[in-house]
Amino acid sequence: MIDPIVLRDVRAGMAGAGIDALVLRPSPDFRYLRAAPLSAAGGEESYLVVALDGPPAPAGDPAQAAALVPPAAARVAVDPQMHAAELFALRLDAELVLASAVLAPLRLRKRPDEVTAMRHAAAAADAVLLAARELAWFGATELAMARRLRAMLAETGCEGAPSVRVAAGEHSADERHQPCERVINPGDALLVSVGGRWNGYCAEVARVFAVAEPPEDFDAMYSVVLAAQRAAVDRVRPGVACAEAEGVAREVIDGSGYGAYAAARTGRGIGLSPAEAPWLAAGETFEAGMTVCLEPAIYLPDLFGARVADMVVCGEEGPEPLSAGAHTLHVLDR
């Protein structure tokens, strides 16, 4: 079923934009509208058509979807993730625009039930990272431990794991690194990131461990990353420019002398997609209900890196953390 309040708001947005119908395929926008699966006539639900009146209707293929669009529709909004073949198969005699024109502003500010789902996902990631401290890391490979963490995340009840990353030693300095057969050894810095999904909503939490003992100078660099994140979190307040969160984190890192090695971004919005608005960029302002993942990082090539990621919702009075795991650098003893 579709939440009647969500449907009301969507139709108000459609009317304001002069849109007569929405045609969605499975995607974050599709998931935003449907609170539970619908059954399409003749098979599995693949499309959803929403007009300005009448019940939203599921469809199994583009031909069914096109037949559900009101014949007089002059402007139809389609899913941003729709493929070219689907667009041609719709054969609509109407102006086509992106559905994000209507849905993006609505998805920007999360409802309480959306925040609750994200809190569940974040708590699951926190639990996995806490339990990870007791695992046997010495001699294991990055890939084996990533698989172990993914299985642990599934046991929490998460419906999926968009990303689980393990990067040891010099690999922790590569922000695009994917787990491989590299063996984890004493003296390695270890960057671990766990991303889960609960009721469609995403979470990501990242922590840094040291194996047996931290590398030389690692503690000092890690403390800078934590200070940068604290500064960014404090700026997540209604009315504050989103770019300020990016700016204050950058100031902390630049002031420490690590500016040349800072990650390109401090964070991004998160929700039904792992990365979505609000972006920490000029022109956007924090509003109550916005959710972000703040993830400052420093990467020293061929040596080590540190990235800490936590989720925060902008509350009426300021930042409200969704992930709550400890930030103290934990030294793994096995």
Side-chain angles (χ1 to χ4, degrees), residues 221-235 244-254 256 262 266 294-298 308:
M221 187 190 77
Y222 180 65
S223 68
V224 173
V225 173
L226 290 183
Q229 193 199 50
R230 286 194 295 268
V233 168
D234 187 61
R235 303 311 296 154
E244 285 195 25
E246 178 82 35
V248 294
R250 178 69 63 175
E251 286 176 8
V252 170
I253 296 176
D254 286 348
S256 72
T266 294
L294 296 176
E295 50 181 352
I298 296 173
V308 178

Side-chain angles (χ1 to χ4, degrees), residues 256-277:
S256 72
Y258 286 107
Y261 306 104
R265 68 181 186 187
T266 294
R268 82 278 183 186
I270 189 168
L272 285 167
S273 297
E276 61 182 43

Side-chain angles (χ1 to χ4, degrees), residues 4-290:
I5 296 177
V6 172
L7 183 58
R8 178 202 66 195
D9 292 343
V10 168
R11 282 177 165 157
M14 290 169 61
I19 291 171
D20 301 304
L22 295 178
V23 180
L24 305 177
R25 71 182 313 278
S27 68
D29 281 344
F30 183 101
R31 176 62 186 79
Y32 177 77
L33 268 176
R34 71 167 175 81
L38 301 170
S39 297
E44 182 181 353
E45 177 191 12
S46 297
Y47 300 87
L48 181 66
V49 179
V50 180
L52 288 171
D53 53 34
D61 58 46
Q64 286 185 12
L68 295 169
V69 173
R75 199 163 192 246
V76 176
V78 297
D79 199 295
Q81 295 188 11
M82 195 167 285
H83 305 303
E86 295 171 298
L87 291 172
F88 282 116
L90 286 173
R91 298 181 181 277
L92 290 172
D93 185 19
E95 177 189 1
L96 300 184
V97 298
L98 292 179
S100 51
V102 172
L103 296 175
L106 298 178
R107 288 177 52 193
L108 194 57
R109 294 171 296 280
K110 306 300 187 287
R111 304 183 307 274
D113 62 297
E114 295 178 284
V115 173
T116 296
M118 296 177 71
R119 198 180 299 277
H120 275 295
D126 277 338
V128 169
L129 287 168
L130 180 62
R133 298 180 177 194
E134 306 305 319
L135 299 179
W137 292 86
F138 296 4
T141 66
E142 294 174 347
L143 191 57
M145 296 309 291
R147 288 170 176 163
R148 180 79 180 273
L149 296 176
R150 193 177 293 274
M152 292 166 63
L153 187 63
E155 291 172 0
T156 68
C158 278
E159 64 197 47
S163 66
V164 174
R165 298 178 60 193
V166 174
E170 72 284 357
H171 289 169
S172 65
D174 180 1
E175 62 181 313
R176 299 186 183 279
H177 178 71
Q178 294 298 320
C180 66
E181 295 294 344
R182 196 241 197 233
V183 174
I184 299 166
N185 298 306
D188 282 340
L190 192 64
L191 200 162
V192 181
S193 173
V194 175
R197 183 176 282 116
W198 191 282
N199 198 25
Y201 287 83
C202 300
E204 183 179 3
V205 182
R207 293 290 181 266
V208 177
F209 303 137
V211 184
E213 61 179 353
E216 186 177 357
D217 297 328
F218 186 77
D219 280 342
M221 187 190 77
Y222 180 65
S223 68
V224 173
V225 173
L226 290 183
Q229 193 199 50
R230 286 194 295 268
V233 168
D234 187 61
R235 303 311 296 154
V236 183
R237 300 174 180 276
V240 173
C242 294
E244 285 195 25
E246 178 82 35
V248 294
R250 178 69 63 175
E251 286 176 8
V252 170
I253 296 176
D254 286 348
S256 72
Y258 286 107
Y261 306 104
R265 68 181 186 187
T266 294
R268 82 278 183 186
I270 189 168
L272 285 167
S273 297
E276 61 182 43
W279 308 106
L280 304 188
E284 298 198 47
T285 302
F286 284 118
E287 299 177 33
M290 289 182 174

